[in-house]
Amino acid sequence: MNPSYTLRNKRVWVAGHRGLVGSAIVRRLQSEDCEIVTAPRDSVDLRRPDQLEKWMRDVRPQAVFLAAARVGGIHANNTRPAEFIYDNLAIQTTVVEACRRSNVEKLLLMGSSCIYPRLAPQPIPESALLTGPLEPTNEWYAVAKIAGIKLGQAYRRQYGCDFISVMPTNLYGAGDNFDRLQSHVVPALILKAHEAKMARAPQMEVWGTGAVRREFLYVDDAADGMVFLMKNYSDEGIVNIGTGRDVPIIDLVGMVCKVVGYEGTLRFDTSRPDGTPRKVVDVSRINALGWNAKISLPDGLAMTYRWFLENVAPEKRRVA
Ligand SMILES: NC(=O)C1=CN([C@@H]2O[C@H](COP(=O)(O)OP(=O)(O)OC[C@H]3O[C@@H](n4cnc5c(N)ncnc54)[C@H](OP(=O)(O)O)[C@@H]3O)[C@@H](O)[C@H]2O)C=CC1
Ligand SMILES: C[C@H]1O[C@H](OP(=O)(O)OP(=O)(O)OC[C@H]2O[C@@H](n3cnc4c(=O)[nH]c(N)nc43)[C@H](O)[C@@H]2O)[C@@H](O)[C@@H](O)C1=O
């Protein structure tokens, strides 16, 4: 299949357009000469084939970014396994089959770096998929995401659908979920450091030991990489997207406190899970295709905190 695909003058559906990744893809598509279409959340539940297929018949999108999913951090994944496996299976099967029936020209599915085995070689190559046991804190979500990969590959083989799958590493940035319990580590630490600073608290809490390592890709980089793949990649193999560099959580905490301006001490709550000891993806495949991440972690954290202050900070809400 010809890897090059144009978005020019196409109707491009961003499923999950209000989320962290979906809203970043909408921002990125502003510089493409295409028509962005979105499904109204109140009338189109992407777990419902009847609702989606009616909308698809009316709108007839030609290219689709599937950024809709049940998503959360380690606590959310570890405590809500049924929602994470059911919702993500339901959304993926509904959207993939609806795209086939509507003859969508190209669909980009989103997996996650958490699909790889807990103790995969680091950096993690795409070939590590299904070579070992999963990380228990998010295996339900991971199994659903692996099913999504297999769906896309099966539809390419049997029906000739141009469906591709990208495996993003941990993402963060403007538009993130800042819920104290359900969020990922970056927004959670920004919220906690900010609140500790505002309250002049002597200490802030960090989950786990802080010794595990994670890779963080700014969401606008991720969106740019996904548009790049939509335009330049067409094959059944999955493609990692990340920076290729990881940091210990303890270092991340220091960077967040520096950006926020919090100078108190840290209390490590080791009753909270660490999750996988290390998760950094091998980005040689996407680099070889011609794409590289551009936004550094310090710059990304500064942009995220600025967005938090303008859109989420508790004192902002009180003023509003
Ligand atoms: N954030 C991260 O660190 C990573 C994310 N990913 C993947 O990227 C994709 C986007 O994640 P992210 O942007 O962080 O998630 P968010 O939770 O920020 O956004 C998910 C979006 O999906 C929508 N959605 C959820 N369920 C339904 C439904 N039943 N019908 C319609 N819309 C629904 C949500 O709508 P509403 O707001 O109304 O609930 C929301 O807009 C996911 O596939 C995720 O697995 C992969 C790796 C890392
Ligand atoms: C992207 C990936 O994200 C998830 O995996 P994860 O990377 O383990 O998730 P996380 O960002 O929530 O935690 C990263 C690390 O950070 C530590 N940590 C410290 N303090 C806080 C804290 O306050 N909140 C959170 N959430 N974590 C904290 C936490 O203990 C852990 O060691 C998957 O569920 C799945 O969603 C997935 O695909």
Side-chain angles (χ1 to χ4, degrees):
M1 201 167 282
N2 182 349
S4 69
Y5 177 80
T6 180
L7 292 173
R8 187 176 172 73
N9 299 328
K10 297 289 176 69
R11 282 183 307 281
V12 182
W13 173 31
V14 181
H17 65 283
R18 302 189 315 185
L20 169 68
V21 177
S23 57
I25 291 173
V26 168
R27 277 198 300 276
R28 171 60 182 78
L29 290 175
Q30 302 300 332
S31 57
E32 299 288 328
D33 184 11
C34 66
E35 178 191 354
I36 301 169
V37 295
T38 59
R41 182 72 169 84
D42 53 355
S43 59
V44 181
D45 181 332
L46 295 178
R47 297 166 300 183
R48 297 280 305 274
D50 54 326
Q51 293 180 8
L52 178 57
E53 286 176 14
K54 179 184 180 312
W55 180 83
M56 293 279 277
R57 281 194 301 275
D58 296 343
V59 178
R60 292 181 300 107
Q62 291 159 291
V64 181
F65 291 90
L66 178 47
R70 169 69 61 196
V71 179
I74 192 164
H75 175 76
N77 271 272
N78 207 22
T79 56
R80 298 158 59 193
E83 288 174 80
F84 275 76
I85 193 164
Y86 174 77
D87 284 357
N88 288 309
L89 285 175
I91 290 168
Q92 288 170 155
T93 51
T94 300
V95 172
V96 163
E97 175 59 11
C99 287
R100 178 189 73 85
R101 288 173 180 230
S102 311
N103 296 313
V104 160
E105 295 168 0
K106 194 152 189 183
L107 163 67
L108 181 142
L109 291 144
M110 294 176 205
S112 165
S113 56
C114 82
I115 61 157
Y116 294 115
R118 172 180 165 82
L119 301 177
Q122 306 285 333
I124 311 171
E126 289 90 349
S127 57
L129 180 61
L130 293 174
T131 58
L134 296 169
E135 160 57 38
T137 55
N138 57 47
E139 64 178 310
W140 325 95
Y141 171 75
V143 165
K145 286 292 167 178
I146 293 168
I149 293 166
K150 292 301 175 185
L151 265 171
Q153 292 172 338
Y155 275 59
R156 174 179 288 272
R157 284 196 187 182
Q158 184 167 346
Y159 303 124
C161 297
D162 194 359
F163 295 174
I164 61 175
S165 284
V166 64
M167 299 303 119
T169 192
N170 289 40
L171 306 176
Y172 72 102
D176 214 332
N177 166 12
F178 283 84
D179 181 276
R180 187 184 312 280
L181 276 178
Q182 306 300 324
S183 60
H184 287 102
V185 61
V186 168
L189 291 179
I190 286 176
L191 175 69
K192 293 195 281 190
H194 178 79
E195 289 182 337
K197 181 179 87 170
M198 301 306 283
R200 294 186 173 76
Q203 192 172 66
M204 73 173 268
E205 179 199 87
V206 177
W207 290 358
T209 63
V212 299
R213 302 177 67 93
R214 291 292 186 276
E215 174 188 21
F216 298 101
L217 179 67
Y218 192 75
V219 72
D220 284 350
D221 258 346
D224 184 60
M226 290 174 187
V227 170
F228 173 86
L229 288 173
M230 180 68 91
K231 292 160 77 172
N232 297 287
Y233 182 73
S234 174
D235 205 337
E236 74 171 41
I238 60 178
V239 185
N240 290 337
I241 183 167
T243 63
R245 289 182 302 282
D246 60 347
V247 293
I249 294 299
I250 180 72
D251 290 6
L252 173 71
V253 177
M255 297 166 83
V256 167
C257 289
K258 184 175 178 189
V259 163
V260 170
Y262 177 63
E263 297 175 345
T265 60
L266 307 175
R267 183 179 76 81
F268 288 90
D269 175 1
T270 50
S271 73
R272 298 284 186 178
D274 265 338
T276 190
R278 194 176 178 207
K279 194 166 45 163
V280 52
V281 294
D282 178 342
V283 290
S284 51
R285 179 171 292 176
I286 196 168
N287 291 169
L289 287 169
W291 187 88
N292 289 274
K294 300 166 190 66
I295 300 168
S296 72
L297 187 51
D299 288 350
L301 291 174
M303 291 192 285
T304 309
Y305 186 47
R306 202 158 41 246
W307 189 88
F308 168 86
L309 290 175
E310 290 162 7
N311 297 275
V312 181
E315 61 279 11
K316 167 82 181 171
R317 284 202 297 269
R318 272 200 295 281
V319 165

